[in-house]
Amino acid sequence: MVEHMAKLFGTDGVRDIAGVKLTCEFAMRIGQAAALALTQPHGSARSKVVIGKDTRASSDMLEQAVSAGLTAMGVDVVLLGVIPTPAVAWLCAKYEADAGIVISASHNPYEHNGIKIFGKGGRKLTDAQQEAIEALLSQSEGFPAGKSGNEIGRVYYLSTAAQEYVEHLAGVAQGYFPDFKVVVDAANGAASTTVGLLAKRLAIPMVIINDQPDGVNINDNCGSTAPEALCRAVVANRARLGIALDGDADRVVAVDEKGEVVDGDKLIAVFASYLKEKGRLTQDKVAVTVMSNLGLVQYLKELGIDCVQTAVGDRNVLEAMERENLALGGEQSGHLILREYAATGDGQLAMVFLLSILYEKQMFLSRMASRMERFPQVVVNVRVSEQTKKTFAQNETFLACKQEMEEELEQKGRILIRPSGTEPVLRVMVEGSCMETVNQYAVRLAQVLADIDRGEQEGQKEE
């Protein structure tokens, strides 16, 4: 178990290559540890955990393994089937479960998978809860024995899970949308089970693409990380709006009627403006991450809205929202939290909310999104070793290069290097007033980091 402990909980749960590092044995242990750390006896009734999954080939395997770990410790399991991450959080709260577990690696390739855990009420786990689970997993001996006989947990199936979640989403809408043609890219993921039901429920003339999952095509050149096909489909279908979801449907990227991408930052700008106008933007603040475009910060400032900036990750955004009682928060990547309705990012909920705004205003998204002017921003991903992810910030060559660039940018831009919480990658973000300069700097910094990583690996071989 020790090999898994270096970084168990990343920015979005536990993730790794399924069957290689994220094995059945490890998944079962996570189920056992979650049972011990998160559940409590309810008199004569057993504790209860709900589990949902995405469409990866490995999701069935890991779902069964986690369920085995939970039931072995005397916890009842309610299987929700293939369903979006935010649906698991919502159903966890609705059915007063002790915890909710999602088998998904979100926007990652199909060979990856993950285990994301919600606490009671569908809340993100606290640091203390994560540490308790990690402490249990690190024990080589003395792990509490499982139950036997009638104390072993049972497994149940909630066949109405998708329909119940869709009814929840429909409650956010202001009426029906029979005149709004929408194209939705379901990323061959979890939304494949819900977005069609939502279209019927709200009378949306919807064209759905990439909703034929086969276990390996999730996020494969589709969804929120690859919206090019959606852009073409919106124009070809003369649609009013395009929506791209990711594998577990907790993030969203929109496409306007002209086929132009509208990312999370621009959606936050649209939502913040609307909520402030309606007097529903508590504290006149929005929670965003350090990756958010400077153009968003400036636009909101012009509207009299302050930005509370956090580290990357919707968990960090939610913590800031709860701490300061904020109604809206999100990330450029499309994790958008509308706290009036949910305590987690929800791509389909954001779609319904956006449709309601466009319907009420009788405006096209291109016009609303154009009010925020983006600063040129380039992000380059550099594959590096875990060692380089930890040490690059102390490297003199890197620091000298970064300082030189920051002096050139002065106050009209910024540089941010962020280690990915889920992949062996450094994300190099450069922002400024000139796209050519920004791109050159990002490519140059990425090359410097790649050279540093190569040097470290060669040094290790010589040793």
Side-chain angles (χ1 to χ4, degrees):
M1 290 289 84
V2 176
E3 60 182 312
H4 294 283
M5 291 306 299
K7 191 167 181 62
L8 176 56
F9 286 97
T11 53
D12 206 20
V14 180
R15 285 191 202 167
D16 222 314
I17 298 175
V20 178
K21 290 188 176 179
L22 187 53
T23 62
C24 286
E25 292 81 3
F26 186 47
M28 187 172 76
R29 288 276 289 190
I30 289 178
Q32 291 175 302
L36 292 167
L38 302 178
T39 67
Q40 296 178 347
H42 302 275
S44 60
R46 278 190 285 260
S47 298
K48 177 172 59 184
V49 172
V50 297
I51 302 180
K53 61 187 174 183
D54 69 15
T55 57
R56 290 163 217 270
S58 60
S59 289
D60 292 347
M61 172 185 80
L62 293 172
E63 173 198 61
Q64 296 300 311
V66 172
S67 297
L70 288 162
T71 53
M73 306 309 290
V75 175
D76 284 348
V77 170
V78 179
L79 298 180
L80 308 176
V82 172
I83 200 163
T85 287
V88 176
W90 182 76
L91 289 164
C92 177
K94 178 180 179 180
Y95 285 99
E96 299 182 342
D98 292 84
I101 296 178
V102 186
I103 311 298
S104 174
S106 191
H107 60 283
N108 284 25
Y110 87 92
E111 62 268 21
H112 292 245
N113 215 323
I115 299 172
K116 182 189 298 187
I117 307 175
F118 294 101
K120 200 166 184 63
R123 317 295 297 172
K124 294 278 186 177
L125 294 188
T126 64
D127 290 340
Q129 288 173 319
Q130 290 186 357
E131 289 165 6
I133 293 172
E134 292 193 359
L136 287 164
L137 289 169
S138 67
Q139 293 180 16
S140 57
E141 297 179 2
F143 201 82
K147 304 296 183 179
S148 63
N150 193 45
E151 291 185 336
I152 294 172
R154 310 293 174 83
V155 177
Y156 302 92
Y157 299 84
L158 184 64
S159 60
T160 58
Q163 190 63 58
E164 289 181 40
Y165 171 63
V166 166
E167 284 300 317
H168 158 63
L169 295 177
V172 176
Q174 297 176 15
Y176 298 90
F177 308 100
D179 303 322
F180 274 67
K181 182 183 277 190
V182 180
V183 182
V184 174
D185 183 344
N188 291 313
S192 301
T193 62
T194 55
V195 74
L197 295 173
L198 184 60
K200 291 178 182 178
R201 177 65 176 78
L202 295 178
I204 303 170
M206 185 180 288
V207 176
I208 307 174
I209 62 175
N210 298 312
D211 66 333
Q212 300 296 318
D214 60 9
V216 301
N217 61 359
I218 186 171
N219 300 316
D220 185 12
N221 198 32
C222 60
S224 62
T225 56
E228 295 78 15
L230 176 63
C231 294
R232 295 191 294 271
V234 168
V235 174
N237 285 279
R238 297 183 180 180
R240 186 75 177 262
L241 178 68
I243 293 291
L245 304 165
D246 67 337
D248 68 336
D250 67 347
R251 67 168 72 182
V252 61
V253 169
V255 172
D256 68 22
E257 75 286 353
K258 298 177 182 179
E260 297 295 323
V261 172
V262 179
D263 67 7
D265 281 346
K266 289 218 167 190
L267 290 174
I268 290 170
V270 171
F271 290 178
S273 174
Y274 176 81
L275 289 170
K276 182 172 173 62
E277 176 190 318
K278 297 296 181 180
R280 291 161 56 190
L281 191 69
T282 53
Q283 316 302 325
D284 283 338
K285 290 181 181 178
V286 172
V288 299
T289 76
V290 291
M291 294 294 284
S292 287
N293 194 275
L294 286 174
L296 172 63
V297 178
Q298 288 196 359
Y299 171 71
L300 294 179
K301 188 175 181 180
E302 291 169 5
L303 296 179
I305 300 170
D306 290 330
C307 285
V308 178
Q309 289 195 300
T310 76
V312 171
D314 59 343
R315 175 171 175 256
N316 297 315
V317 172
L318 180 60
E319 284 178 358
M321 293 174 70
E322 292 181 331
R323 184 174 62 249
E324 304 210 22
N325 187 30
L326 307 184
L328 176 65
E331 300 185 271
Q332 187 183 83
S333 61
H335 280 127
L336 304 177
I337 303 175
L338 291 155
R339 194 159 152 257
E340 183 177 342
Y341 307 107
T344 187
D346 189 332
Q348 289 170 100
L349 187 150
M351 175 185 74
V352 173
F353 192 67
L354 179 60
L355 275 171
S356 296
I357 294 173
L358 296 175
Y359 181 79
E360 178 184 330
K361 297 292 185 182
Q362 287 298 300
M363 289 174 64
F364 286 97
L365 180 57
S366 61
R367 181 180 170 190
M368 298 192 79
S370 66
R371 293 170 178 171
M372 178 199 129
E373 186 175 348
R374 286 181 56 87
F375 273 51
Q377 185 185 81
V378 172
V379 178
V380 178
N381 292 332
V382 188
R383 292 191 73 84
V384 297
S385 66
E386 287 298 324
Q387 181 64 25
T388 300
K389 281 174 68 174
K390 296 173 184 175
T391 61
F392 79 93
Q394 287 79 47
N395 185 278
E396 291 183 4
T397 302
F398 161 73
L399 291 172
C401 183
K402 180 171 178 280
Q403 182 178 351
E404 178 188 333
M405 293 178 181
E406 287 174 333
E407 288 172 355
E408 290 292 328
L409 289 170
E410 295 179 331
Q411 302 300 314
K412 299 178 181 178
R414 60 183 178 137
I415 295 170
L416 181 67
I417 316 294
R418 186 180 74 84
S420 169
T422 58
E423 301 174 84
V425 162
L426 287 173
R427 306 198 195 282
V428 180
M429 191 272 279
V430 183
E431 198 169 37
S433 56
C434 173
M435 175 55 86
E436 184 179 357
T437 300
V438 164
N439 192 59
Q440 287 177 356
Y441 284 4
V443 170
R444 184 178 158 199
L445 261 179
Q447 187 59 56
V448 168
L449 290 166
D451 290 344
I452 291 169
D453 183 61
R454 192 178 305 110
E456 285 202 3
Q457 291 187 46
E458 290 175 355
Q460 289 176 357
K461 287 179 182 178
E462 292 176 2
E463 293 176 5

